[in-house]
Amino acid sequence: MRGDKTRAIISLIVIALAFVALLWPGGANYQGIGKLFSRIKLGLDISGGARIEYRVDIEQSVENPSEIVDDVWTVLRNRLDAAGYTEAIIKKTFREENSFIVVEIPGATDTAKAEQLIGSTGVLWFGQVVNEATSNPFTDPALVNEAKREKAQWLLDREGKKWYLVRQEIEKITNLKLVSPRIVEAMPVVDQNNVAGYVVSFTMAKEYAEIFKKITEKLYVPEEILNKGGISYQQALKKRLAIVLDNRVQFAGFVVAKITDGKAQIRGNFNLDEAKQLAAILRSGALPARLEKTSSGWVAPLLGADIVRTSLKAGIWGIGIVLVYMIIVYGVMGIVADIALLYNTFLLLGILAATGAILTLPGIAGIVLTIGTTVDGNIIIYERIKEELRRGSSIKAAIATAFSKSFWTLFDANLTTIIAGLFLYYFGTGTIKGFAITLIIGVIGSLFVNLVVTRVLIDSLSGGIKVKAPKEGGARA
């Protein structure tokens, strides 16, 4: 009895949380019963989304530009996947001797948000600060000439307040430069020197650690020089390291220790959100080429409204037939199965709303498939109950034995489906991942519903279970 109460309380809490997730404010502006599903993000195939096209700015000296475009595609794919937009579409196109990347993001309400999700479109590189200015250097001929003489460029800092003259080639040494390094780890951490700010700690891939080491050796300035001041300090001002992203100087400071392992920090008095965003960009990969936005707008749903409507109608009819079939064949137990089926459906939708996962038409197919899984699980349990009753067990004993004997059968069957779903998610892209997500969530929910929710309901309605006696001469276990 105590176990029944515990299962009943857990079942009520879980479904209540699912409805809270569905009804939480902030969803799409749907009307009527559609408000129940307003927080579920829909894929490009159902609702369309934002579309942005970029021209990939590739230097003419690059031997294999197609590899650069492939790398850009991979970086953008990683960034959108990390943001939860696994359904986003990224396409490569080529026209008028230029390469383009087209990004289509489902559920993005405006193109500005879509650009924010894509992140930085500039190249990350490390350089040497040669000079600085507080006013626009392009209005001063002397500063413009200095840039030409130093083979450097004037760039604004992250806050747009100060200008830095930055050169890619450290100490004018050919090939001693670091452009688009691969960052294997990046995270925001509290700045020990300023508890109100954050720094971004990062680690470069091994293949970049050696050149980064050479750069820090060239720009290394002993702390005693910084403390001493005078002429040595003025000379040291021309040996500062700059980290540049999106043509903005994210960091400009002295190298006070030679970095031999590729691990360093970016200090910029970031707040937590800024540090997280920069760390996410570094983790997802630096772009190997600059992207120039050429157009932005909207993309219509890939599937026509008629196809979506017909598919939903087919799904509703299919569920309806299953509901009726279960009641006809299993009576009271069929009603329990129907309630469990609806429970699992709302549980799955609630999890989609809570996690921000995107629902596509293949995702709907995954939901329908898990409905079948839920019904299959109930049928396995019911047939066990029938067997136990035919052996002469009481209803309570038959239910307890049936659930005990069915546990490993259900567990193994669902586990294999979950493993298949994980492989689909790992190796698949786009809508395949959407299908895998709904399949995995649905199957886990199905297992919970079969073993917990169904048990509560079947115990409560056990008085109405009727099983026909076996025919004379029939098989008996």
Side-chain angles (χ1 to χ4, degrees):
M1 186 62 72
R2 185 176 178 181
D4 286 344
K5 284 185 178 178
T6 303
R7 282 189 284 268
I9 292 171
I10 292 174
S11 301
L12 290 174
I13 291 175
V14 169
I15 197 63
L17 290 175
F19 274 98
V20 167
L22 285 169
L23 298 173
W24 195 262
N29 188 25
Y30 295 158
Q31 300 297 322
I33 196 172
K35 288 183 178 179
L36 189 60
F37 310 106
S38 61
R39 296 196 71 247
I40 297 176
K41 295 178 181 176
L42 301 177
L44 282 169
D45 53 353
I46 299 176
S47 67
R51 180 185 187 278
I52 304 174
E53 182 186 73
Y54 295 100
R55 187 181 70 83
V56 185
D57 186 10
I58 303 175
E59 295 180 6
Q60 292 184 348
S61 59
V62 173
E63 293 183 359
N64 195 346
S66 62
E67 285 187 2
I68 299 292
V69 178
D70 289 343
D71 290 343
V72 170
W73 185 95
T74 302
V75 170
L76 294 183
R77 178 79 269 169
N78 290 339
R79 288 181 180 180
L80 290 171
D81 286 351
Y85 283 82
T86 57
E87 311 296 334
I89 294 176
I90 305 174
K91 294 182 286 190
K92 294 174 283 188
T93 63
F94 184 82
R95 66 175 186 273
E96 298 174 352
E97 299 184 351
N98 285 304
S99 297
F100 296 85
I101 292 282
V102 178
V103 183
E104 295 173 348
I105 303 177
T109 54
D110 56 60
T111 55
K113 180 183 176 183
E115 290 182 54
Q116 188 178 5
L117 288 169
I118 292 170
S120 163
T121 56
V123 176
L124 174 72
W125 54 277
F126 293 70
Q128 178 181 358
V129 175
V130 181
N131 198 0
E132 66 180 55
T134 54
S135 59
N136 189 346
F138 296 102
T139 60
D140 187 337
L143 295 178
V144 172
N145 290 332
E146 183 184 9
K148 292 179 181 177
R149 187 171 64 251
E150 296 288 348
K151 296 181 179 178
Q153 53 185 318
W154 285 102
L155 300 173
L156 270 172
D157 69 352
R158 186 168 51 86
E159 297 174 344
K161 296 179 179 177
K162 185 180 286 187
W163 291 85
Y164 290 98
L165 184 58
V166 188
R167 184 171 56 215
Q168 277 196 355
E169 293 182 347
I170 307 300
E171 298 287 25
K172 295 184 179 179
I173 299 174
T174 306
N175 295 330
L176 187 56
K177 58 183 180 180
L178 186 54
V179 180
S180 298
R182 188 165 64 86
I183 310 294
V184 295
E185 184 182 32
M187 66 180 72
V189 295
V190 175
D191 188 350
Q192 298 299 323
N193 300 323
N194 178 9
V195 293
Y198 288 81
V199 300
V200 178
S201 177
F202 66 91
T203 304
M204 288 188 186
K206 289 183 179 177
E207 60 266 32
Y208 297 97
E210 182 60 27
I211 192 165
F212 191 50
K213 173 187 170 186
K214 292 179 180 176
I215 289 174
T216 57
E217 286 176 345
K218 287 291 181 185
L219 299 183
Y220 168 65
V221 179
E223 286 195 53
E224 55 265 27
I225 291 180
L226 300 180
N227 298 328
K228 185 178 178 181
I231 296 176
S232 299
Y233 178 77
Q234 293 300 320
Q235 292 174 340
L237 286 174
K238 295 187 176 183
K239 295 182 68 176
R240 282 175 290 173
L241 176 71
I243 299 178
V244 182
L245 179 66
D246 266 347
N247 266 350
R248 291 269 182 161
V249 177
Q250 304 292 327
F251 166 84
F254 296 104
V255 177
V256 294
K258 297 170 186 175
I259 300 172
T260 58
D261 56 0
K263 295 181 180 178
Q265 289 184 336
I266 301 176
R267 295 180 184 275
N269 196 26
F270 302 112
N271 61 39
L272 181 58
D273 287 340
E274 291 172 335
K276 280 183 176 178
Q277 187 176 3
L278 181 55
I281 290 172
L282 294 175
R283 278 198 306 272
S284 59
L287 286 171
R290 185 173 305 284
L291 298 182
E292 178 188 347
K293 187 175 74 174
T294 54
S295 67
S296 63
W298 306 100
V299 58
L302 301 179
L303 299 175
D306 289 343
I307 295 176
V308 175
R309 194 180 302 114
T310 303
S311 301
L312 289 175
K313 191 180 293 183
I316 292 171
W317 270 103
I319 293 172
I321 292 171
V322 171
L323 294 176
V324 173
Y325 173 83
M326 290 301 292
I327 293 175
I328 292 174
V329 175
Y330 291 97
V332 171
M333 292 192 290
I335 295 174
V336 170
D338 291 350
I339 295 173
L341 186 153
L342 295 174
Y343 184 104
N344 192 29
T345 302
F346 282 106
L347 175 60
L348 193 156
L349 294 175
I351 293 174
L352 290 178
T355 59
I358 297 173
L359 183 63
T360 62
L361 200 59
I364 294 175
I367 293 175
V368 174
L369 186 59
T370 58
I371 288 172
T373 305
T374 307
V375 173
D376 284 347
N378 278 45
I379 289 175
I380 290 173
I381 294 169
Y382 296 165
E383 292 302 320
R384 288 283 190 182
I385 293 175
K386 285 183 177 181
E387 286 178 7
E388 295 302 318
L389 289 175
R390 289 179 187 130
R391 287 176 177 168
S393 302
S394 67
I395 291 179
K396 290 292 183 184
I399 292 173
T401 305
F403 274 92
S404 176
K405 289 184 175 179
S406 301
F407 176 82
W408 286 111
T409 303
L410 294 173
F411 183 83
D412 291 342
N414 285 293
L415 180 62
T416 53
T417 307
I418 291 171
I419 291 173
L422 290 174
F423 272 92
L424 279 177
Y425 182 82
Y426 184 79
F427 292 106
T429 58
T431 56
I432 301 297
K433 284 196 173 186
F435 174 78
I437 289 172
T438 54
L439 180 67
I440 293 169
I441 295 174
V443 170
I444 293 174
S446 175
L447 191 61
F448 171 77
V449 168
N450 285 149
L451 298 176
V452 179
V453 180
T454 300
R455 179 68 183 271
V456 173
L457 294 172
I458 208 79
D459 278 337
S460 302
L461 301 175
S462 58
I465 297 175
K466 306 292 183 187
V467 177
K468 293 179 181 178
K471 292 180 180 178
E472 189 175 348
R476 293 179 68 94

